[in-house]
Amino acid sequence: MSSEHWWQNAVVYQVYVRSFADSDGDGVGDLAGIRSRLDHLVELGIDAVWLNPCYPSPQFDHGYDVADYFGIHAEYGDLAAFDELLAAARDRGIKIMMDLVPNHCSSQHRWFVDALAAAPGSRERARFYFRDGRPDGAGDAHGAPPNNWSAAFGGSAWTRPSADDSQWYLGTFTPHQPDFDHTNPDVQAMFAEVFEFWFDRGVEGFRVDAISPVGKHPELPDAPPVPEGTGMLQVTWENPYTVFRPEGHDVWRQFRATIDTYMDAHPDRDLTMVAEAYMNGRPDLMAAFVNDEQFHQAFAFDLLLSPWDKTEMERAIGDTLDLMDAGSTPTWTLNNHDVQRVVTRLGRDNATDPSTVTNNALESVATSVDIAVGLRRARAMITLAMAMPGSIYLYMGEELGLPEVLDMPDDRRQDPVFITTNGERLGRDGCRVPLPWTDDPSTNFGFSASPDASEPWLPQPEWWGEVAVDVVDQQDDATLDLYRELIAARRELAVPEGLGAMVLDLGDGLVAVRRGKLIAVTNVTATPIALDSDHDEGIADAMPVFASEPDELHTPGVIPPDSTIWFSTP
Ligand code: NOJ
């Protein structure tokens, strides 16, 4: 793979459409709202925007339940609004990527509605996984699900449409999200059309949702018992008959062939497809999915899940850099709409515990959080990530240093994770709160265009104005400034250093990466560390060229606590 693709070193900004900006005052973000705020993204210096799903959807899983792959959700606008957004972004040099959801659709998708009305064995049912139930031991010959698989968001993965139906259908996530059978020719043909439809409109790539459960063991056997202590929402991901199956590769090869054929016919386009799957600690899997026949890139979630710990961070970075051997560039990210925001994660009192799995959105563990410490570590972590080769995916609001909103009232939470677990798991609403743009509460802190707007779909905390774009824009040491300067510095000082990088061991408490002449050093402890001249790679005498805490006086050869410094070595 050559190094000329735009996406290889791109900074991509994730917009959670419902929560970015509301142009029409209904309390829900929309496409015209995004268009009205594009200048913020230009000032940041990003290359592309990834839009979370904006297709028509009942919004049970906020767009990850697609009712029609060829339209726009009415609350967000219409195809004309989409085209306008794309054109306005293009005028500013920003590319648009979309989100493709292949594993499942909405139970309101026309095909699924037809399948429910059709008989077992019909063409309509063959597009999904409908199977006869098993005897329930109480006289109903079909009263028990076809197998013992669990759903990712709780409960059984099978739903029986009615007591009269002999069949059940599979929904890996929730009953509102029935799984497609990708061996079915109708399904294959539809997804090829989906790619062409959006590429024709000017979309430059797709983030592909939930790739791990696509492709199942053809016989759908019972899953073996899970290891003791497996969390309730982890059971699905332990099922060898539905996770990372060899059958999935056929699907990705078809998708890639569709993209390659499109590019052959449109040689001016450089399209990409990025896999979403939690393959942390499994670089072997990355290599199996990311290659010239399947995905161009896959999210590297290792750093997003890593505790603030030297060994774990070095492992996360090393595993991800190994991806280079698979011919791709890594795709770094610290935040997204499914995980607790990094400021909160790294401010938790267990953040330095090497055994911590930091995706707290799906856990119920309550720990105390020091936001100031978390913010400092988050700034250091992004400064380290930005030095490295590969693309960076930012999640809206991280440039403001937003923490997770933890104190949301239960009766306002909407995430199916919270609902299906009866609140046992907090879910992901806390990172999806509509963005603060100003300190004016009458406009939902600038999220809505007018003062008579409805309440935002998720409540904003009272203190939201303190972290608003307009407010932090006036502060010299704000995280917003750091992000703007960091993206510019990355382009100027890191990208020209090429695609090779390696982890360096500079001693206790320090995580370091060399990329050409640039060395980024992070101190993951609470005390300053003086570099040891025996193995400092000449950094003690090198020029510091960027720091995650730029206002702190830099003592040569010393890395301040919880911070990152870039050095340019001779
Ligand atoms: C991953 C998405 O990021 C998440 O938000 C969604 O709930 C699941 N896939 C199911 O589509």
Side-chain angles (χ1 to χ4, degrees):
M1 222 177 263
S2 76
S3 63
E4 302 105 42
H5 300 288
W6 69 267
W7 40 266
Q8 281 183 305
N9 276 294
V11 179
V12 181
Y13 184 95
Q14 179 189 353
V15 168
Y16 196 71
V17 181
R18 277 188 98 63
S19 299
F20 190 71
D22 162 28
S23 73
D24 59 5
D26 63 357
V28 172
D30 48 48
L31 299 180
I34 302 171
R35 188 155 55 86
S36 72
R37 293 291 187 184
L38 280 177
D39 288 343
H40 172 69
L41 304 183
V42 172
E43 278 174 53
L44 261 181
I46 57 139
D47 300 293
V49 162
W50 148 36
L51 299 174
N52 279 102
C54 49
Y55 314 98
S57 160
Q59 302 289 320
F60 182 79
D61 191 16
H62 298 117
Y64 288 96
D65 45 337
V66 179
D68 171 10
Y69 288 81
F70 302 94
I72 295 292
H73 182 60
E75 284 179 307
Y76 300 163
D78 53 18
L79 283 170
F82 182 85
D83 292 342
E84 278 164 21
L85 169 61
L86 197 133
R90 184 179 275 164
D91 283 351
R92 290 164 176 78
I94 295 175
K95 297 179 166 55
I96 298 283
M97 294 179 68
M98 288 186 85
D99 207 318
L100 187 70
V101 189
N103 181 65
H104 47 267
C105 59
S106 157
S107 50
Q108 293 182 20
H109 189 285
R110 186 176 52 78
W111 277 4
F112 190 72
V113 174
D114 291 349
L116 288 181
S122 58
R123 173 177 178 175
E124 287 80 359
R125 287 201 169 187
R127 295 164 177 153
F128 301 92
Y129 289 96
F130 277 86
R131 295 290 184 274
D132 285 346
R134 298 195 278 203
D136 64 358
D140 183 343
H142 303 290
N147 69 25
N148 66 353
W149 294 5
S150 298
F153 293 165
S156 167
W158 294 93
T159 304
R160 190 181 192 182
S162 79
D164 303 334
D165 208 317
S166 59
Q167 295 200 311
W168 298 57
Y169 67 86
L170 181 68
T172 295
F173 286 88
T174 69
H176 303 268
Q177 294 159 294
D179 283 29
F180 281 118
D181 182 345
H182 278 269
T183 62
N184 180 276
D186 290 347
V187 174
Q188 293 170 359
M190 183 186 78
F191 277 99
E193 271 177 53
V194 173
F195 278 112
E196 284 162 20
F197 180 85
W198 294 103
F199 288 153
D200 282 350
R201 299 199 102 82
V203 166
E204 305 289 0
F206 284 92
R207 172 261 193 198
V208 182
D209 182 66
I211 70 148
S212 41
V214 173
K216 330 272 179 205
H217 187 294
E219 280 146 35
L220 309 182
D222 271 341
V226 291
E228 211 172 313
T230 304
M232 67 191 271
L233 299 185
Q234 194 48 38
V235 178
T236 303
W237 309 116
E238 298 289 331
N239 179 352
Y241 300 129
T242 185
V243 172
F244 295 127
R245 296 286 313 163
E247 292 83 358
H249 296 294
D250 298 337
V251 180
W252 315 129
R253 286 193 194 99
Q254 287 163 19
F255 282 15
R256 181 61 177 263
T258 301
I259 296 180
D260 288 349
T261 306
Y262 194 97
M263 279 172 52
D264 286 344
H266 303 83
D268 54 323
R269 304 289 292 278
D270 185 8
L271 308 169
T272 184
M273 157 169 100
V274 185
E276 188 242 6
Y278 285 78
M279 306 193 229
N280 35 300
R282 297 284 312 272
D284 55 317
L285 275 178
M286 284 273 191
F289 283 94
V290 179
N291 50 51
D292 283 344
E293 293 187 346
Q294 300 178 67
F295 289 95
H296 302 80
Q297 290 182 302
F299 277 101
F301 287 125
D302 296 64
L303 213 48
L304 171 151
L305 295 168
S306 176
W308 190 242
D309 171 78
K310 172 183 164 75
T311 310
E312 285 301 307
M313 284 169 67
E314 287 178 344
R315 191 200 52 74
I317 294 165
D319 277 0
T320 305
L321 290 177
D322 281 352
L323 237 193
M324 308 290 286
D325 299 339
S328 170
T329 57
T331 308
W332 305 98
T333 187
L334 304 184
N335 284 290
N336 63 40
H337 63 293
D338 290 330
V339 297
Q340 201 175 68
R341 284 189 181 271
V342 64
V343 168
T344 303
R345 258 177 9 238
L346 294 183
R348 283 163 27 191
D349 57 11
N350 62 354
T352 54
D353 174 352
S355 64
T356 306
V357 173
T358 62
N359 182 1
N360 215 27
L362 303 180
E363 297 165 28
S364 55
V365 193
T367 49
S368 64
V369 179
D370 183 330
I371 293 297
V373 169
L375 181 60
R376 202 177 154 100
R377 290 176 180 160
R379 291 166 60 111
M381 188 79 113
I382 190 70
T383 304
L384 178 64
M386 285 269 188
M388 294 195 270
S391 46
I392 306 262
Y393 278 65
L394 306 175
Y395 176 51
M396 55 164 220
E398 78 170 77
E399 75 278 20
L400 307 175
L402 291 189
E404 185 86 353
V405 176
L406 292 172
D407 53 353
M408 189 180 295
D410 282 0
D411 62 355
R412 298 293 305 276
R413 290 190 178 269
Q414 301 203 16
D415 184 3
V417 169
F418 182 82
I419 295 167
T420 58
T421 65
N422 292 320
E424 241 182 84
R425 297 291 185 268
L426 217 45
R428 304 161 293 178
D429 294 311
C431 66
R432 299 174 176 182
V433 175
L435 282 196
W437 294 91
T438 70
D439 60 1
D440 176 6
S442 80
T443 57
N444 300 328
F445 299 107
F447 169 66
S448 297
S450 64
D452 50 7
S454 310
E455 257 193 88
W457 72 281
L458 283 175
Q460 298 163 307
E462 269 170 33
W463 46 270
W464 217 215
E466 291 163 28
V467 282
V469 177
D470 280 2
V471 173
V472 296
D473 206 7
Q474 305 302 316
Q475 298 164 357
D476 287 341
D477 58 349
T479 299
L480 181 54
D481 262 351
L482 175 74
Y483 270 71
R484 287 175 181 152
E485 284 160 19
L486 191 50
I487 292 171
R490 170 185 158 79
R491 199 158 279 136
E492 201 183 314
L493 303 169
V495 172
E497 294 299 324
L499 294 179
M502 61 190 286
V503 174
L504 300 176
D505 186 1
L506 299 188
D508 287 351
L510 297 176
V511 178
V513 175
R514 172 191 279 282
R515 179 181 188 181
K517 293 198 294 294
L518 189 74
I519 300 183
V521 189
T522 302
N523 176 350
V524 296
T525 76
T527 44
I529 298 183
L531 292 163
D532 175 349
S533 55
D534 282 349
H535 51 76
D536 76 357
E537 303 257 332
I539 303 174
D541 302 318
M543 278 277 290
V545 287
F546 198 88
S548 61
E549 299 299 334
D551 294 339
E552 271 170 28
L553 206 56
H554 178 67
T555 312
V558 175
I559 313 294
D562 290 332
S563 74
T564 297
I565 296 188
W566 291 6
F567 296 92
S568 179
T569 58

